[in-house]
Amino acid sequence: MNEFFESYPYVKWILIGFGVLALLSKYLNFDPLDNLINRFTKYKFKEDNSLGLEEFKELNRLMNEGNRLGVQKRIDSLKGSYRTFAFRSLAQYANETDVNSWLNSETRSDLPKVIKAYKLVFDAWEIRGRDTVDTVSEKNLANFKYKLVEAKELLKSTNEDSKYRLNINALLLKIYKALNVERDLIKDTYQNAVQEDENHAELNFSYFSAISPKWGGSMDEVNAFLDQLPQKSEFINHLITAQYYFDYVHMMDGKDDSKRMKAFIEEMKSQPIDKDELYKYELYVLLYWLANNLSYSDLENYYKQLALPYWKD
């Protein structure tokens, strides 16, 4: 064996290198190969769930100062997408040690469970990235699903009549779409909350994503939901239509031969949106991506600017 290595010394160094990589991965939870794969395959973007709003920055300051009562009062005073983005902002910027401390000291309280679950889901998607699953390493995919399962268990341990039920169910839908769950569970999770607010943006957005064929849903599920759209607000109609068109183009290589989608993207430029509907930023991102995929460069640039400060890539 020594004679072999003396004749082919580079083989020895290659084997040593693989040994070092294995030790780094096993004992330090650091995998240079994974990092290298991610560097070249991940869609690069910068997301800011505080939206540059001072009230969300203040919420994070309260959290990081340990002012739990202040955090609870602030969140409980918010409704709709403002409450959703409050949770999303905490998920992105709150100190994990502070969140865990709150969770461990108030084990029966729903709020720290919900905050922790949002943080786990945010971290999970940071690991996975936004590209297709074939661009995600096996190790990162396993970590992604591990965090989602942990978040699911926290949310399932909350009270059935929790004041945060809309957010809990919406986040469960975001989790379920990436896990192998029964289709009826997805439908029931949506139905158990939607009666409280038919036009809750996060809930409808998460449900339509979960029933998309790209996440294991069927066109029967999609069409059944589309049939319900006339009962919902104009904004929800626009949001779901943008989701539908984006999936059609991005996942099914759909074309816009009739220019129907271009007309929709153009129409959205003049559609009024309530200033308090923060899910307009998700709509802008979808329209930006859709215009990009269809090579409508002028519309792409228009919506890319509207997506700021939430999204930059």
Side-chain angles (χ1 to χ4, degrees):
M1 183 63 71
N2 288 335
E3 292 179 1
F4 174 81
F5 284 136
E6 288 176 2
S7 300
Y8 303 98
Y10 62 89
V11 175
K12 178 176 69 175
W13 292 112
I14 290 173
L15 293 174
I16 291 173
F18 277 118
V20 171
L21 291 177
L23 289 172
L24 287 171
S25 179
K26 181 175 182 179
Y27 294 108
L28 299 180
N29 198 30
F30 171 72
D31 195 328
L33 290 180
D34 272 355
N35 291 341
L36 187 62
I37 291 170
N38 291 333
R39 180 174 299 176
F40 288 102
T41 60
K42 270 191 175 181
Y43 165 46
K44 302 298 192 301
F45 61 89
K46 184 177 181 181
E47 180 180 357
D48 180 6
N49 285 286
S50 73
L51 304 175
L53 297 177
E54 186 56 41
E55 55 205 285
F56 291 149
K57 294 178 181 178
E58 174 63 19
L59 178 65
N60 280 290
R61 282 196 288 270
L62 290 171
M63 183 70 194
N64 293 331
E65 290 169 359
N67 189 343
R68 298 171 183 175
L69 182 59
V71 171
Q72 181 162 355
K73 286 182 176 179
R74 184 64 57 89
I75 288 179
D76 289 352
S77 71
L78 301 173
K79 296 180 180 180
S81 59
Y82 259 85
R83 180 178 286 183
T84 295
F85 271 90
F87 282 128
R88 289 173 58 159
S89 182
L90 288 170
Q92 184 172 6
Y93 296 113
N95 186 290
E96 186 169 11
T97 301
D98 295 332
V99 176
N100 290 340
S101 176
W102 190 355
L103 182 67
N104 293 331
S105 62
E106 298 184 28
T107 57
R108 294 188 178 183
S109 175
D110 284 347
L111 184 54
K113 292 179 181 179
V114 176
I115 293 173
K116 175 66 175 180
Y118 269 91
K119 193 163 191 63
L120 284 165
V121 172
F122 178 84
D123 291 345
W125 281 97
E126 285 285 283
I127 291 170
R128 186 199 180 281
R130 299 281 177 146
D131 288 325
T132 54
V133 70
D134 58 298
T135 66
V136 187
S137 70
E138 289 186 11
K139 181 177 179 180
N140 280 355
L141 190 59
N143 287 337
F144 167 68
K145 291 189 174 182
Y146 179 84
K147 287 183 178 291
L148 293 184
V149 170
E150 187 179 351
K152 180 193 73 172
E153 295 304 318
L154 277 173
L155 295 174
K156 296 294 284 185
S157 70
T158 57
N159 296 303
E160 289 187 9
D161 60 347
S162 174
K163 68 177 74 174
Y164 312 113
R165 185 172 66 140
L166 280 165
N167 300 101
I168 289 168
N169 283 35
L171 191 59
L172 279 170
L173 288 169
K174 189 171 183 178
I175 292 168
Y176 288 159
K177 78 176 184 180
L179 299 177
N180 186 23
V181 302
E182 296 291 334
R183 304 307 303 173
D184 285 346
L185 178 58
I186 292 174
K187 181 179 179 181
D188 291 346
T189 300
Y190 175 72
Q191 292 298 335
N192 287 339
V194 71
Q195 294 178 4
E196 187 175 332
D197 185 352
E198 188 76 24
N199 296 306
H200 192 270
E202 182 189 15
L203 186 68
N204 285 286
F205 185 85
S206 296
Y207 180 62
F208 194 71
S209 182
I211 63 175
S212 168
K214 73 180 180 182
W215 290 105
S218 68
M219 286 309 300
D220 286 342
E221 290 176 284
V222 170
N223 290 330
F225 188 73
L226 293 178
D227 288 342
Q228 299 176 23
L229 282 185
Q231 305 168 22
K232 299 184 184 295
S233 70
E234 192 172 45
F235 177 77
I236 295 299
N237 273 263
H238 297 331
L239 181 65
I240 300 305
T241 301
Q243 281 184 285
Y244 174 77
Y245 281 153
F246 175 72
D247 285 355
Y248 172 68
V249 172
H250 184 63
M251 300 303 299
M252 293 175 273
D253 199 27
K255 306 299 180 185
D256 193 24
D257 295 332
S258 67
K259 297 296 185 287
R260 182 179 179 181
M261 286 182 278
K262 184 176 184 180
F264 170 74
I265 303 171
E266 288 276 10
E267 181 188 354
M268 289 302 98
K269 292 169 68 175
S270 59
Q271 286 295 315
I273 300 176
D274 189 320
K275 63 181 179 62
D276 291 333
E277 182 48 80
L278 299 184
Y279 258 74
K280 63 186 176 184
Y281 291 106
E282 291 283 10
L283 174 62
Y284 295 151
V285 170
L286 284 168
L287 293 170
Y288 159 50
W289 285 343
L290 181 59
N292 172 271
N293 287 349
L294 292 171
S295 299
Y296 298 143
S297 57
D298 55 334
L299 292 169
E300 175 188 350
N301 293 330
Y302 177 82
Y303 286 105
K304 184 174 185 177
Q305 293 304 310
L306 284 184
L308 298 173
Y310 169 53
W311 197 271
K312 184 176 181 180
D313 57 16

